[in-house]
Amino acid sequence: MVAMTLNAVPDWKFSSAEGKANYEAACRRYPAQCIVDLAALKDNMAQLVNVVGGPNSGTAVMGIVKADAYGHGLIPAALAALAGGATWLGAAQSHEALLLRKAGIGPDRCHILTWVYNGTAVPFDELIANDIDVSVGSLAGIDAVAAAARRLDRPARVHVKVDSGFGRNGFTPQGFEAALNKLVPLAKEGVLHIVGQWSHLAVADSPDVPEFVASTDRQIESFKDFTRRMEQAGIAPEIRHLANTAATLSRPEIHFELTRPGIGLYGYEPDPAMGTPSSYRLKPAMTFQAQLGTVKDVEAGHGISYGRTYLTPDNTSTAIVPVGYADGIHRSASGFDMQGAEHVQKNGGPVRVMTVDGPKLMRVSGRVCMDQFILDLHGSAAELGVHEGDTVELFGPGRGEAFAEPTADDWAKAAGTISYEIFTCLRNRIPRLYLNASKVLDGRDLAKLDPASLL
Ligand SMILES: *Cc1c(COP(=O)(O)O)cnc(C)c1O
């Protein structure tokens, strides 16, 4: 008898027989899949554009697609962001900025900004030749960009990065005089085109903490001081940008000419302290699902996984979820029980499991291994109707309490991190599959995607 498998994720709506075949092929290839809804990405971007006042407000929106679009897939996410009204894309690493242009996203469609490099080994020539804007935040960086622009005999479009208090990249107020001394003659000579002035906020996601609000206010004042100094030096920036998702959602006074949301595009608020995604009309775009491996009965007191940190409290069944820390499941999301004095009670990462009585939230029991982790089903698998091959959900859009559906925020809580790290750690051996591609993208853009990835 073939056991009927239960499914803890929605029945995916495939666009075609090919989409269904792609899904089945991905499930054969790997026992876990990331399903990314391109319609959600597009709608999230449209909502962020709405938040800054719409397409004609004078504030443009840059979709931040660094780190493979926070693990969602660089090109599909970038195209969905453009479909939603983004007119800029941002990628920290120049490699990814170049991949966007190589995929055929030309300067006629959007500006692209990149900002992480060391001034000695970055492909500035290629960046300038591909109409990619670059950040300058160090004297060595200015020299290197200028040298490349001279070689190409073409002005480099630069955004001057200022350190308004974040303490990462950019010129400090003290160091800015030296930067201006280099920038002004290069701008006058036409080697550099000073497009922007920008900076990054340290704690914009804590609107409830007065101390943090005050430090953000100080960053804004500092940012404006830098603008005044650029104006006085005769190189006023054409556009200024400071707002990440948090400030895009909560600080309209600093939208300036451009905002740079990242996590909001993927449907999450930057910090659960700010509320839920739905309070900002955002919808998490990714569902992370897996098919169960071995399901079996074990006796009470059975040690589960390395270190025997979890001992089954009762006779029970266990199920293997076939992804582990080599897939990006944080080992810190391991779950321990309360047996014995040394054992700390700690909730492991949550997994939505479908049973004959409806969905139940199970948790990682014991340590996460390299390629798998174990769930204590807290009951008999036969009675619960749980079988090898069932599809379980690690996280999804979070359809409310009644659905018992975890989100990446819940995994972040279990792992002691933030949703950003949950997404970006998911390895590329896990297939990324895309829903609603043909609804969101025109034929020209659809052709830029791997056809095997479309559902
Ligand atoms: C990542 C990043 C952003 C986007 O931040 P979110 O919190 O994801 O909105 C914006 N600007 C810079 C410089 C970044 O590195």
Side-chain angles (χ1 to χ4, degrees):
M1 196 190 83
V2 179
M4 202 195 68
T5 56
L6 292 177
N7 188 358
V9 295
D11 283 328
W12 302 120
K13 301 265 181 295
F14 303 114
S15 63
S16 63
E18 246 172 275
K20 184 161 188 273
N22 288 339
Y23 181 79
E24 286 163 0
C27 293
R28 276 194 301 278
R29 174 155 71 86
Y30 207 72
Q33 306 85 32
C34 292
I35 314 287
V36 177
D37 182 356
L38 293 183
L41 287 178
K42 177 191 170 186
D43 292 348
N44 290 333
M45 179 48 75
Q47 172 58 12
L48 292 161
V49 170
N50 198 30
V51 165
V52 302
N56 303 316
S57 64
T59 299
V61 181
M62 176 188 293
I64 299 291
V65 293
K66 65 190 181 196
D68 203 20
Y70 292 39
H72 291 62
L74 178 68
I75 305 300
L79 294 174
L82 293 176
T87 52
W88 286 74
L89 294 172
Q93 304 285 358
S94 57
H95 170 68
E96 291 186 313
L98 287 165
L99 286 178
L100 292 167
R101 287 286 191 241
K102 281 177 188 149
I105 302 174
D108 54 319
R109 293 196 62 189
C110 67
H111 297 291
I112 297 176
L113 176 67
T114 185
W115 58 90
V116 173
Y117 58 82
N118 73 70
T120 61
V122 66
F124 280 127
D125 297 64
E126 216 183 333
L127 292 170
I128 297 168
N130 280 284
D131 286 292
I132 292 169
D133 293 20
V134 294
S135 170
V136 290
S138 69
L139 298 177
I142 297 174
D143 290 343
V145 178
R150 285 189 200 284
R151 275 195 300 277
L152 287 166
D153 197 19
R154 182 169 167 180
R157 289 172 52 93
V158 300
H159 297 234
V160 179
K161 185 78 181 266
V162 296
D163 184 353
S164 58
F166 189 90
R168 191 168 67 180
N169 304 300
F171 299 106
T172 60
Q174 298 73 25
F176 203 47
E177 201 55 42
L180 288 172
N181 289 340
K182 270 188 188 290
L183 289 168
V184 170
L186 289 166
K188 297 262 145 76
E189 199 189 325
V191 175
L192 301 184
H193 173 180
I194 312 288
V195 176
Q197 177 216 341
W198 73 307
S199 190
H200 199 39
L201 294 172
V203 285
D205 51 6
S206 299
D208 52 330
V209 184
E211 180 195 330
F212 291 158
V213 172
S215 86
T216 301
D217 289 341
R218 281 197 302 278
Q219 277 203 257
I220 295 166
E221 278 320 303
S222 165
F223 188 73
K224 290 178 175 167
D225 274 340
F226 279 109
T227 309
R228 279 189 282 275
R229 290 174 71 181
M230 288 178 74
E231 284 166 355
Q232 278 159 13
I235 54 163
E238 292 164 17
I239 59 172
R240 290 156 298 163
H241 45 110
L242 180 58
N244 51 11
T245 299
T248 300
L249 295 175
S250 66
R251 289 243 182 192
E253 75 278 16
I254 54 163
H255 287 167
F256 298 113
E257 292 76 37
L258 180 65
T259 74
R260 303 187 311 267
I263 198 75
L265 168 60
Y266 308 101
Y268 278 79
E269 83 302 324
D271 185 318
M274 285 183 70
T276 59
S278 61
S279 44
Y280 298 97
R281 297 172 184 240
L282 300 172
K283 183 182 173 203
M286 185 193 285
T287 298
F288 183 22
Q289 63 177 29
Q291 286 78 38
L292 293 178
T294 300
V295 174
K296 67 183 185 191
D297 297 333
V298 298
E299 312 250 289
H302 200 301
I304 299 294
S305 194
Y306 290 109
R308 294 170 56 78
T309 54
Y310 184 94
L311 303 176
T312 50
D314 297 296
N315 289 349
T316 187
S317 302
T318 57
I320 302 292
V321 180
V323 281
Y325 59 78
D327 294 287
I329 303 296
H330 286 65
R331 194 166 172 276
S332 52
S334 296
F336 303 157
D337 73 356
M338 19 191 332
Q339 314 262 331
E342 327 79 33
H343 290 184
V344 191
Q345 186 186 12
K346 186 191 165 298
N347 275 338
V351 178
R352 184 179 203 252
V353 179
M354 190 56 75
T355 76
V356 290
D357 306 323
K360 286 201 163 40
L361 214 57
M362 311 290 185
R363 289 187 175 274
V364 178
S365 307
R367 288 202 176 131
V368 173
C369 310
M370 192 181 291
D371 291 88
Q372 46 194 324
F373 65 82
I374 302 149
L375 297 175
D376 182 346
L377 297 177
H378 298 286
S380 146
E383 281 167 27
L384 291 164
V386 173
H387 294 102
E388 190 163 330
D390 284 3
T391 296
V392 299
E393 184 184 69
L394 286 83
F395 60 79
R399 290 166 293 174
E401 283 278 294
F403 288 90
E405 182 175 59
T407 66
D409 278 334
D410 295 316
W411 274 86
K413 191 171 173 212
T417 182
I418 53 177
S419 63
Y420 301 62
E421 196 186 11
I422 299 296
F423 298 125
T424 54
C425 283
L426 296 174
R427 294 291 160 80
N428 280 335
R429 67 183 188 173
I430 305 166
R432 305 300 200 272
L433 299 167
Y434 298 97
L435 283 174
N436 292 320
S438 55
K439 266 194 206 152
V440 167
L441 306 178
D442 61 18
R444 172 187 62 156
D445 279 352
L446 262 184
K448 296 180 174 66
L449 304 186
D450 173 5
S453 70
L454 307 181
L455 295 184

